[in-house]
Amino acid sequence: MTKYVAKRIFMSVLTLFVIIFVLFVLIRIMPGNPFPVERMSAEMILQKRAELGLDKPILIQFVDYMSMLLQGSFGNGTSLYNGAPIKPILLACLENSFKIGVLSILFGTTVGLLLGITAALNRGKFLDGLCTVFSILGVCIPSYVFMIFLQYFFSYKIPFFPYFFDPSRFLFSSIMPSLSLSLFTVATVARFTRNEMIEVMNSDYVKLAEAKGLYGFELMRKHVLRNALIPVVTVIAPLVVDLLTGAMVMEKIYGVNGVGKLMVDAISGDGIDYNYVLALGIVFSSLYIGIMLVLDILYGIIDPRIRLTAKETA
Amino acid sequence: MNEKIILSVENLDITFRTNAGLVHAIRGVDFELPAGKTLALVGESGSGKSVTMKAVAGLLDDNATVNSGKIFYNGLDLLTLSKRDLRKKINGQQIAMVFQDPMTSLDPTMTIGAQITEGMLLHQKISATDAKDKAVELLKLVGLNEPEKRVKNYPHQLSGGQRQRVVIAIALSCEPKILICDEPTTALDVTIQARILDLIQDLQKKMGLSVIYITHDLGVVAKVADFVNVMYAGKIIEAGTVDEIFYDPRHPYTWGLLLAMPDLDTTEDRLYSIPGSPPNLLHEPIGDAFAARNRFAMKIDEREQPPMFKISETHSAATWLLHPDAPKIELPRELRLRLERARKAANL
Amino acid sequence: MRNEELGIRNADDFEFIAGRDLNVDLNFASQGYWKGVAVHFCRNKLAVAGVIIVAVIMLFAILAPIVSTYGYQEIVAVNVDGKQIVAKSLEPQFAGEAQNLFADKTFLFGTDDMGRDLWTRTWFGARVSLLIAFVAIFIDMIIGMSYGLISGYFGGHVDNIMQRFIEIAGSIPTLVIISILAIFMDKGIGLVIAALLVTEWIGMSKISRAECLKLKEREYVLASRTLGAGSFHIIFKQILPNTIGPIITQVMFSIPVAIFTEAFLSFVGVGIVLPQCSIGSLIEAGFNNITVLPYQILPPICVLALLMLGFNLIGDGFREALAPKIENM
Amino acid sequence: MNNPLLKVDNLHQHFKISRNFTVKAVNGVSFEIFPGETYGLVGESGSGKTTIGRSIIRLYDPTSGEIIFNRSKISGTLNNKTRRMLRKNMQMIFQDPMSSLNPRKKIGDIIGEGLDIHEIYSDVTERNAIIAEMLQKVGLSPAHAERYPHQFSGGQRQRAGIARALVMKPKLIIADECISALDVSIQAQVVNLMKDIQAETQCAYLFIAHDLSMVKYISDRIGVLHLGYLVETGTTEEIFSDPIHPYTKSLLSAVPCPNPRVEKFRRPVVYDSSNVNYSAATVQKISDTHFVLL
């Protein structure tokens, strides 16, 4: 098990390193000029380049950047446009996004699991049909359609919830954003759970457990749920990533100052702020790889087939 | 027969819903199992032998419908019981089952020990430590080495033969009266197969079990069975004691089955074989389902299903050849020689 | 037993059937593969509904912009003397007041805030979105399939290297990839297609590799090798036809993802640029006016939702038709 | 005796699983097959019998040892001429009738694949005629050429598999557990078909199986495999009436005999394989044809 975890951690760090390197190189070698040309003279640009170390060979720039990154700052730590430091802004945005994200993941998986289990237990009956229709709609209709409608009806027509996100009333104002963001998670988890449950319920070992005399809740608890839920862990990782994408739209609609909005601002404005793109790229990738790593290890812990490899016990 | 009948199945009829349509898998099956004896249900894949036994154990899949029939266990019709009562009173304690594939019939996330003690803790007033001791004892009984260590193992840490022993230990854990073995050895090597069969026979003697074997291997049947029922296309087509089936078979299909497996003295140039392939029960045949492959098929076979003709108190077969008006046929030469040889070897 | 008891009436009952050749086995089991899939698919009402939805929308997307009165760029406005005038596009000399018309006889979906016919623009947008999705997913399918088949078939070091690459490429969040692309490319259709190309092929290649690994150990592939077939023949003649089913399913699920990605990119402002339009850009325009002119957002959002629903239903139907084991015996 | 058709000499087949784990599936196996005879290879699962078949037909590259087939060396790197000869003259019948036919191809095209690859026919009419004749030979109807494998039962498919091998008119057919996945009543059909074909074409079989009674019935000579070693080989008569190796004895004793009065009193001989070390054993000659690894 320790070997498994160590191997996973090593692979994740390596992957992250490669990604940072690729991001860095891509951003540095790209054509065009990283500065708003119309507002700067040629000397200013040259001066600025030297100041930022952009005239050095690319590998040395990378080593410099990495050492700064390890000390906890993103390169020279400022926006190319307004010179504002990146880190505090990023941290503040990250906090908002993170809170809403965690809320919607928690809500999404819980409700999704419940729906999926209900559907599987009532297979072929009305409840199953209802859950299926709901999960199909949830998967098919993009979350931002829900967001727009929820916002229009519950914040505009019936102004119960705040129209825009307000960090000072965090819990109340994040209900709508996180709810609409979690619908896709609910639907996906529900659908996957249902199919896994049905497959497990048809398996030989559940038949054997029934032959032992187990039935109803006992059977579900001891044999079906455990085996069906282990694979569900694997769909959560990609869902978290989808959440990041969804967050971009959600933050635009609800006016949340989050990392998604930061990224949109960095790429959709007149020019592109490379320092931001790089910093955000690193943050997104680390988040993703970190979550994958945690889920991988979690998977190893709950599944004895990985926890105890044949070699260790033979 | 004056033994006590522990299990009797009457006119069982089952259909399955499949994507392709309704499959009439069991078309009226009757048999009896005397207490303490071994019954073998023989037939090829798709003949309905596993489905029949799943019906007996109350483990039919959701898409199966029992159209008619009764399954009496000690006078109690199991088909009238609710699923809850069936699990609570019958499964495990009265009727236990060993499945075909040892690789998939154990829960991968649970230790061997937990899976064995589960049934005991459910049905018997027994403490967890006592149950664990008993699990170790059971593993010893089924011949697994280092049972104390094995109870802590997970299924993936055992080999196929070891897993099948665990499955047998699970089946025996609540001291059932009837043990149903669904092809318990097909997934295993011959040498292990022989040991598992011996094991089940020894346990049967020790515990007074009644055993039903589902198999297509006549070697296995010869070794373990007291009574044999041959199934074809969802029906029992010949039933008798093991001696009657092996030394005096009457149904052409049984002939084919017997001769398809050469004994160690077979020297004939050709094996006697049944031509063609089994029918697809999606399109239920009219008349005798075996007619299309029967060298001795008569015109009536195409119109009407043969009833079970009684040959002796214990022996009967469903073929029109046994009808008093049917022409007498000469047994195929291979069969005659084979039966003579078999009788001689058995000193009959 | 007597005859009457058994109900036997025919005189020839106990004659052997003559003239049969038992050695030719004419028994057969089931229908052909694709026919079975088709039958199963058609029996699935939801899947058929999906096909109808997608077909209708595609029909409109192809025909509506051709037959409608106004072009997608044409601006309808009222000039000073209250007469309706039409301009080919935004022209500086254009004088008059743009109408914000709610649905009437000439404008089924109304007009947008510039006075352009929403009916035409919606279907034109759907056409752009569908085109982007089809082109991108088709290329993805080719790339992903070849990559997966090669990686799976040759195995060993080739597979190892190719899989490490996928692992790393797959660990970069889509958003990061898009932002890098946004640095290199101008906004517009090209960017959206590029983003889809970079991200969606990975799923395809994973599926075809998994299928290939499973299939290459099948005995018919071994049989082909013992007959002397080369790698090319085995990959394309033996393995590929058997991966088509899962790949089609994946394509059906990827198309809505592509449509969604386009809509999402255009919505956040890095996708389609005006006066071009797509579903996403129409939703964005509608969203900006939602409190004033809420009807504007309805048509594109409905088309988007219906398209995604339709393709997902088709995908589901395919998946179930190809793997009918869940409902089977 | 005439020249052997196939001579396997000291064949080793190892598979490297990871840096420090190698599976030694076959260890120094030697045997010969003469034209027109059937050599049975028996052993339990994991004994290496399937691996031997696949190494001989070069689905695997043998780790070491020499294989001579039809007077050419077919181990090591193959040149084009030898490869062509091997692919034409040695064919295989597979175990699982459900997976041995490509579900997307018509039966006719499956049988004709070898013809297509080696361009054995002059025109399409000739090709179709060969296929139709082959179908008839294996008890199917020429009309079946247009059907897909899904439309057949297990026995029919196995016959199509035999037709695919036969169409090349091979000198040696490796039958890898080709009846063990079939229903009992179908096994006899297939074995009869194989015997008929041998009588007609004089091809040799390497019959790989775990079912000793069928091996005894069909084989002229038998090799017994255990843990990748050939522990005993001899004529069928020698193996069955005079088994020397304890493993052979245990295997023979475990064969179920379809005769209840006899079978009920037989007890299998137990062979404890946990401490055996075959690598130290040497081959003992019992007779010209009978060898034991002791």
Side-chain angles (χ1 to χ4, degrees):
Chain A
M1 186 62 196
T2 20
K3 206 178 157 194
Y4 171 80
V5 173
K7 203 175 157 193
R8 286 293 135 141
I9 292 177
F10 175 75
M11 274 310 291
S12 300
V13 172
L14 188 74
T15 311
L16 188 59
F17 180 80
V18 173
I19 291 176
I20 294 176
F21 181 73
V22 171
L23 283 180
F24 188 86
V25 171
L26 277 179
I27 284 174
R28 283 290 182 273
I29 59 161
M30 42 144 292
N33 203 312
F35 305 108
V37 188
E38 58 278 7
R39 275 182 269 152
M40 292 168 96
S41 68
E43 297 106 70
M44 274 171 80
I45 289 176
L46 271 181
Q47 193 196 337
K48 192 87 181 161
R49 284 184 74 91
E51 198 181 297
L52 295 174
L54 294 180
D55 48 356
K56 291 187 207 160
I58 204 157
L59 277 177
I60 294 179
Q61 287 186 46
F62 179 66
V63 172
D64 289 348
Y65 191 83
M66 278 309 285
S67 69
M68 279 191 276
L69 192 64
L70 290 175
Q71 287 158 28
S73 72
F74 297 101
N76 52 38
T78 52
S79 157
L80 284 180
Y81 283 91
N82 47 25
I86 293 178
K87 204 172 146 191
I89 296 174
L90 193 67
L91 283 181
C93 289
L94 205 56
E95 193 191 331
N96 282 335
S97 297
F98 190 74
K99 279 180 178 168
I100 296 178
V102 168
L103 263 186
S104 54
I105 269 287
L106 284 181
F107 179 79
T109 40
T110 326
V111 176
L113 282 176
L114 289 177
L115 276 182
I117 293 170
T118 320
L121 292 183
N122 296 288
R123 187 145 92 93
K125 294 187 196 143
F126 175 72
L127 266 178
D128 183 22
L130 202 69
C131 293
T132 308
V133 168
F134 181 78
S135 56
I136 288 180
L137 289 182
V139 171
C140 305
I141 298 177
S143 51
Y144 77 81
V145 174
F146 285 117
M147 288 172 203
I148 291 173
F149 278 108
L150 285 176
Q151 190 190 36
Y152 184 71
F153 286 109
F154 295 104
S155 306
Y156 180 72
K157 283 275 165 187
I158 313 163
F160 180 72
F161 289 105
Y163 196 85
F164 288 116
F165 174 76
D166 175 5
S168 59
R169 292 163 69 206
F170 172 74
L171 217 54
F172 186 62
S173 67
S174 60
I175 290 179
M176 280 286 118
S178 50
L179 184 73
S180 48
L181 196 57
S182 69
L183 283 172
F184 184 76
T185 317
V186 172
T188 317
V189 171
R191 190 143 90 155
F192 194 77
T193 308
R194 175 186 178 269
N195 291 345
E196 280 298 319
M197 290 265 295
I198 287 171
E199 206 175 310
V200 172
M201 284 199 280
N202 284 331
S203 71
D204 276 3
Y205 55 83
V206 168
K207 277 261 138 68
L208 186 77
E210 285 187 274
K212 272 184 225 174
L214 262 78
Y215 66 96
F217 180 70
E218 278 297 276
L219 182 69
M220 289 298 138
R221 186 177 67 84
K222 288 185 131 170
H223 295 281
V224 179
L225 279 184
R226 209 193 325 206
N227 281 292
L229 295 192
I230 288 176
V232 173
V233 172
T234 54
V235 291
I236 293 179
L239 282 176
V240 172
V241 182
D242 285 332
L243 221 60
L244 289 177
T245 327
M248 239 161 121
V249 179
M250 183 272 292
E251 284 165 9
K252 175 174 166 147
I253 291 175
Y254 288 99
V256 182
N257 274 317
V259 277
K261 186 164 176 289
L262 217 52
M263 181 68 112
V264 174
D265 289 346
I267 57 176
S268 67
D270 303 329
I272 288 160
D273 196 326
Y274 301 163
N275 278 355
Y276 260 113
V277 170
L278 190 55
L280 283 165
I282 292 169
V283 168
F284 276 131
S285 308
S286 347
L287 263 180
Y288 180 42
I289 291 170
I291 291 164
M292 294 291 263
L293 177 67
V294 169
L295 287 175
D296 253 3
I297 293 174
L298 193 67
Y299 194 77
I301 290 173
I302 54 179
D303 190 343
R305 279 161 295 189
I306 297 179
R307 188 172 68 227
L308 310 160
T309 52
K311 215 175 156 195
E312 273 173 41
T313 50
Chain B
M1 275 190 293
N2 40 19
E3 296 108 325
K4 187 175 165 265
I5 301 294
I6 190 165
L7 181 82
S8 78
V9 171
E10 288 173 18
N11 194 27
L12 192 65
D13 188 297
I14 297 173
T15 43
F16 278 93
R17 286 188 316 277
T18 69
N19 292 320
L22 282 181
V23 173
H24 201 170
I26 306 293
R27 309 185 299 146
V29 162
D30 301 81
F31 67 86
E32 289 179 336
L33 171 67
K37 297 288 181 188
T38 305
L39 171 78
L41 214 52
V42 187
E44 38 202 355
S45 51
S47 61
K49 49 194 196 314
S50 290
V51 178
T52 310
M53 282 307 125
K54 277 189 176 162
V56 170
L59 297 172
L60 281 175
D61 292 323
D62 293 342
N63 60 344
T65 321
V66 179
N67 301 320
S68 69
K70 292 187 168 66
I71 299 170
F72 289 109
Y73 169 76
N74 276 339
L76 177 70
D77 186 354
L78 298 182
L79 290 174
T80 59
L81 291 182
S82 71
K83 207 166 187 176
R84 186 160 177 269
D85 283 347
L86 197 65
R87 300 277 181 267
K88 227 173 174 169
K89 295 176 186 147
I90 303 296
N91 286 130
Q93 307 173 83
Q94 310 296 335
I95 301 176
M97 200 156 174
V98 174
F99 290 98
Q100 178 174 4
D101 188 355
M103 301 319 260
T104 58
S105 48
L106 291 171
D107 187 335
T109 59
M110 223 182 199
T111 60
I112 302 298
Q115 297 194 50
I116 299 175
T117 54
E118 203 177 16
M120 295 188 254
L121 293 172
L122 195 71
H123 297 302
Q124 298 168 346
K125 289 197 178 85
I126 188 170
S127 73
T129 37
D130 285 351
K132 202 163 183 188
D133 290 345
K134 216 182 143 198
V136 173
E137 223 167 273
L138 276 167
L139 286 180
K140 218 179 275 168
L141 188 69
V142 297
L144 216 59
N145 54 352
E146 301 177 274
E148 290 86 2
K149 199 179 140 194
R150 293 293 169 215
V151 288
K152 291 187 200 106
N153 281 167
Y154 284 90
H156 72 272
Q157 296 168 307
L158 305 184
S159 72
Q162 289 174 321
R163 287 193 211 188
Q164 197 60 305
R165 282 162 196 256
V166 172
V167 175
I168 294 172
I170 290 175
L172 296 175
S173 64
C174 294
E175 291 154 21
K177 304 288 177 294
I178 299 178
L179 181 67
I180 300 172
C181 302
D182 185 353
E183 313 227 9
T185 55
T186 31
L188 305 173
D189 288 320
V190 268
T191 46
I192 299 166
Q193 162 177 317
R195 276 190 270 168
I196 298 264
L197 292 179
D198 282 344
L199 169 73
I200 297 176
Q201 277 188 297
D202 289 347
L203 294 171
Q204 181 177 16
K205 272 179 210 137
K206 272 186 215 155
M207 306 171 77
L209 284 171
S210 316
V211 182
I212 300 178
Y213 273 97
I214 304 171
T215 181
H216 61 262
D217 187 339
L218 286 172
V220 171
V221 177
K223 190 176 172 71
V224 299
D226 297 311
F227 300 96
V228 182
N229 284 343
V230 183
M231 280 192 84
Y232 187 79
K235 286 187 135 188
I236 290 179
I237 49 109
E238 185 159 5
T241 64
V242 69
D243 284 356
E244 284 163 341
I245 299 291
F246 277 86
Y247 304 124
D248 184 23
R250 294 302 180 92
H251 198 286
Y253 177 69
T254 318
W255 299 343
L257 274 190
L258 266 178
L259 288 179
M261 183 185 174
D263 62 3
L264 291 175
D265 299 311
T266 305
T267 49
E268 284 82 14
D269 275 350
R270 291 179 64 83
L271 292 168
Y272 174 87
S273 70
I274 308 172
S277 0
N280 182 351
L281 288 178
L282 204 55
H283 318 282
E284 206 181 331
I286 301 162
D288 184 1
F290 186 62
R293 304 173 67 189
N294 189 354
R295 287 161 212 263
F296 307 103
M298 293 176 287
K299 294 205 169 140
I300 187 169
D301 279 310
E302 292 184 324
R303 288 194 284 266
E304 206 164 333
Q305 298 189 25
M308 283 295 254
F309 289 95
K310 218 163 191 177
I311 300 145
S312 77
E313 204 40 44
T314 49
H315 192 186
S316 51
T319 167
W320 286 115
L321 291 174
L322 292 172
H323 191 274
D325 292 347
K328 295 284 159 279
I329 56 157
E330 201 177 317
L331 285 188
R333 186 178 149 269
E334 303 96 314
L335 181 65
R336 217 177 52 234
L337 291 174
R338 172 73 170 270
L339 292 178
E340 275 165 16
R341 216 160 47 223
R343 290 196 200 108
K344 208 172 131 204
N347 294 319
L348 271 173
Chain C
M1 266 182 279
R2 283 185 325 231
N3 287 0
E4 305 86 74
E5 282 170 31
L6 293 163
I8 295 161
R9 292 166 299 275
N10 303 54
D12 61 352
D13 268 351
F14 293 104
E15 277 172 28
F16 289 119
I17 303 166
R20 289 187 304 169
D21 184 4
L22 287 172
N23 289 324
V24 177
D25 187 349
L26 292 170
N27 190 357
F28 73 97
S30 58
Q31 74 247 61
Y33 177 79
W34 288 114
K35 200 180 161 200
V37 169
V39 167
H40 193 82
F41 185 88
C42 292
R43 209 175 286 154
N44 185 341
K45 290 193 190 84
L46 285 175
V48 175
V51 173
I52 294 171
I53 292 173
V54 169
V56 168
I57 291 180
M58 279 171 63
L59 202 70
F60 272 108
I62 293 167
L63 294 180
I66 300 172
V67 297
S68 65
T69 331
Y70 304 101
Y72 75 98
Q73 292 192 29
E74 282 178 1
I75 293 172
V76 184
V78 181
N79 68 5
V80 203
D81 46 337
K83 257 192 172 173
Q84 210 176 56
I85 51 166
V86 175
K88 283 283 164 236
S89 61
L90 256 187
E91 289 153 18
Q93 72 276 25
F94 185 71
E97 202 175 322
Q99 282 178 311
N100 286 316
L101 286 169
F102 192 59
D104 69 3
K105 272 180 207 150
T106 32
F107 306 101
L108 280 176
F109 290 166
T111 59
D112 70 0
D113 54 346
M114 305 282 293
R116 289 174 290 210
D117 179 22
L118 258 185
W119 165 266
T120 317
R121 280 182 78 74
T122 300
W123 297 119
F124 186 82
R127 184 198 275 184
V128 171
S129 294
L130 279 169
L131 197 71
I132 288 175
F134 281 135
V135 169
I137 297 303
F138 180 74
I139 300 174
D140 277 327
M141 187 179 85
I142 306 270
I143 299 174
M145 244 160 76
S146 327
Y147 194 94
L149 285 176
I150 289 170
S151 171
Y153 182 77
F154 289 102
H157 289 304
V158 180
D159 186 39
N160 242 329
I161 293 167
M162 290 175 87
Q163 287 315 302
R164 284 298 87 74
F165 177 73
I166 281 215
E167 211 169 277
I168 290 174
S171 300
I172 311 177
T174 317
L175 218 54
V176 177
I177 292 177
I178 291 169
S179 58
I180 292 180
L181 285 172
I183 295 176
F184 279 88
M185 301 174 71
D186 290 332
K187 291 169 202 163
I189 294 182
L191 176 64
V192 177
I193 291 185
L196 287 169
L197 287 187
V198 178
T199 53
E200 285 300 301
W201 68 276
I202 292 180
M204 306 265 188
S205 86
K206 277 184 180 162
I207 284 180
S208 58
R209 174 172 175 270
E211 285 294 311
C212 182
L213 284 179
K214 200 171 76 193
L215 293 171
K216 80 169 180 180
E217 291 304 319
R218 285 281 159 87
E219 289 179 342
Y220 60 81
V221 174
L222 298 180
S224 224
R225 283 172 62 193
T226 63
L227 285 166
S231 301
F232 186 84
H233 175 94
I234 291 174
I235 293 180
F236 290 97
K237 291 271 175 67
Q238 300 280 0
I239 295 179
L240 184 73
N242 286 285
T243 63
I244 294 287
I247 287 287
I248 289 182
T249 311
Q250 178 67 15
V251 164
M252 286 303 154
F253 284 120
S254 292
I255 288 176
V257 171
I259 294 174
F260 171 74
T261 308
E262 182 279 315
F264 147 78
L265 288 177
S266 301
F267 185 78
V268 298
V270 289
I272 308 299
V273 226
L274 288 169
Q276 277 271 353
C277 70
S278 72
I279 296 283
S281 68
L282 289 172
I283 294 178
E284 206 237 343
F287 175 70
N288 291 337
N289 294 328
I290 190 166
T291 49
V292 198
L293 303 161
Y295 72 88
Q296 286 185 357
I297 202 170
L298 272 176
I301 258 189
C302 288
V303 169
L304 174 67
L306 282 175
L307 266 182
M308 289 189 56
L309 182 71
F311 277 110
N312 269 298
L313 290 178
I314 298 175
D316 264 347
F318 255 115
R319 189 169 51 191
E320 267 168 37
L322 289 168
K325 65 168 191 262
I326 288 185
E327 301 293 329
N328 226 331
M329 281 178 75
Chain D
M1 257 195 197
N2 49 357
N3 277 327
L5 174 66
L6 177 81
K7 188 173 187 319
V8 177
D9 191 23
N10 202 17
L11 176 72
H12 289 261
Q13 182 75 58
H14 299 172
F15 298 102
K16 201 170 174 183
I17 304 296
S18 67
R19 206 166 296 137
N20 35 26
F21 187 53
T22 303
V23 173
K24 297 185 175 174
V26 178
N27 299 290
V29 165
S30 313
F31 62 93
E32 293 168 348
I33 299 178
F34 294 94
E37 78 162 351
T38 301
Y39 187 83
L41 212 49
V42 288
E44 55 194 38
S45 56
S47 62
K49 51 190 195 301
T50 296
T51 311
I52 290 180
R54 292 187 177 181
S55 305
I56 292 173
I57 205 164
R58 292 303 303 271
L59 283 173
Y60 301 146
D61 293 327
T63 312
S64 71
E66 194 170 59
I67 307 171
I68 310 281
F69 173 63
N70 208 11
R71 280 183 243 126
S72 311
K73 179 169 176 277
I74 56 162
S75 48
T77 321
L78 294 174
N79 62 31
N80 271 340
K81 202 178 142 220
T82 329
R83 186 191 306 272
R84 243 182 117 72
M85 187 282 295
L86 171 68
R87 295 297 174 222
K88 267 181 158 172
N89 289 314
M90 198 195 288
Q91 287 302 320
M92 196 157 186
I93 306 172
F94 291 88
Q95 173 177 9
D96 181 7
M98 295 302 159
S99 100
S100 64
L101 306 181
N102 190 339
R104 300 290 174 277
K105 286 189 149 191
K106 286 179 186 164
I107 290 288
D109 293 334
I110 290 172
I111 294 173
E113 191 184 346
L115 302 175
D116 296 340
I117 290 170
H118 297 279
E119 287 159 5
I120 288 172
Y121 49 85
S122 51
D123 56 31
V124 182
T125 345
E126 190 191 339
R127 172 183 184 267
N128 292 344
I130 299 174
I131 293 168
E133 190 198 330
M134 216 58 243
L135 280 167
Q136 254 164 341
K137 201 178 260 178
V138 298
L140 295 168
S141 136
H144 283 151
E146 292 300 308
R147 287 204 192 149
Y148 287 92
H150 273 83
Q151 297 172 282
F152 290 92
S153 66
Q156 289 171 320
R157 289 192 208 188
Q158 198 61 305
R159 279 182 266 176
I162 293 175
R164 168 175 58 196
L166 277 183
V167 83
M168 303 300 293
K169 301 195 171 68
K171 292 188 171 142
L172 174 66
I173 295 180
I174 297 175
D176 182 9
E177 300 255 19
C178 70
I179 54 167
S180 55
L182 298 174
D183 278 323
V184 188
S185 71
I186 310 293
Q187 290 186 355
Q189 291 175 7
V190 171
V191 168
N192 280 340
L193 176 62
M194 287 175 65
K195 280 204 132 187
D196 292 348
I197 287 163
Q198 189 168 45
E200 193 189 318
T201 65
Q202 296 304 314
C203 62
Y205 287 121
L206 174 61
F207 190 84
I208 299 170
H210 64 261
D211 175 359
L212 268 172
S213 45
M214 206 54 106
V215 171
K216 178 176 186 219
Y217 173 69
I218 199 170
S219 308
D220 301 309
R221 292 188 304 123
I222 291 175
V224 181
L225 277 174
H226 189 221
L227 305 175
Y229 290 87
L230 192 70
V231 294
E232 188 161 0
T233 179
T235 61
T236 307
E237 176 69 24
E238 283 163 341
I239 296 288
F240 275 83
S241 52
D242 183 25
I244 308 277
H245 198 280
Y247 178 72
T248 315
K249 288 179 181 169
S250 133
L251 203 60
L252 288 180
S253 78
V255 182
C257 155
N259 189 337
R261 299 235 170 163
V262 176
E263 181 66 26
K264 287 226 161 65
F265 302 102
R266 279 192 337 139
R267 278 286 172 270
V269 180
V270 177
Y271 176 65
D272 183 13
S273 63
S274 51
N275 300 319
V276 296
N277 181 11
Y278 289 130
S279 57
T282 51
V283 176
Q284 314 278 323
K285 186 174 174 183
I286 309 294
S287 76
D288 279 346
T289 47
H290 194 174
F291 297 89
V292 186
L293 185 76
L294 279 173

